[in-house]
Amino acid sequence: MKVSVVPALIAAGLLLAVAQGAHASESLARSKNCLSCHTVDKKVVGPSYKDIALKYKGKGVEATLARKIREGGSGTFGSIPMPASPQVSEAEAQQLARWILSL
């Protein structure tokens, strides 16, 4: 039986692209000081990104989350407000929201 390596190579390429996208998004979060209050897997000042993803799973809230990243918010995860992040562009906020929701 002959097995084609093309599907495996395509899958490997997709995995690499996803990993590179995740790394770029985490680097963006670092450069915008998001990691001062958040981490991927544990609560710091704000909730972990995985807790955010779990709370919003399947709710189609990418635009809402991107807006909260830029404008701030409070009450969703407790009484500590998240300050606005005007240094984050709309495109960057969307990228961060997609990454967070993918966790």
Side-chain angles (χ1 to χ4, degrees), residues 18-36 38-41 49-50 92 95-100 102-103:
V18 168
Q20 288 173 335
H23 179 71
S25 296
E26 188 167 354
S27 293
L28 176 61
R30 184 172 288 107
S31 74
K32 299 297 181 175
N33 294 321
C34 303
L35 300 179
S36 298
H38 301 277
T39 68
V40 170
D41 58 0
Y49 290 140
K50 286 186 177 181
E92 290 168 334
Q95 177 184 345
L96 290 167
R98 273 192 304 276
W99 171 61
I100 292 166
S102 75
L103 298 172

Side-chain angles (χ1 to χ4, degrees), residues 54-77:
L54 185 62
K55 183 174 195 90
Y56 291 121
K57 183 177 182 173
K59 295 185 179 176
V61 296
E62 184 180 310
T64 300
L65 186 55
R67 188 182 77 249
K68 283 186 173 193
I69 290 169
R70 287 185 38 81
E71 298 175 6
S74 64
T76 305
F77 284 91

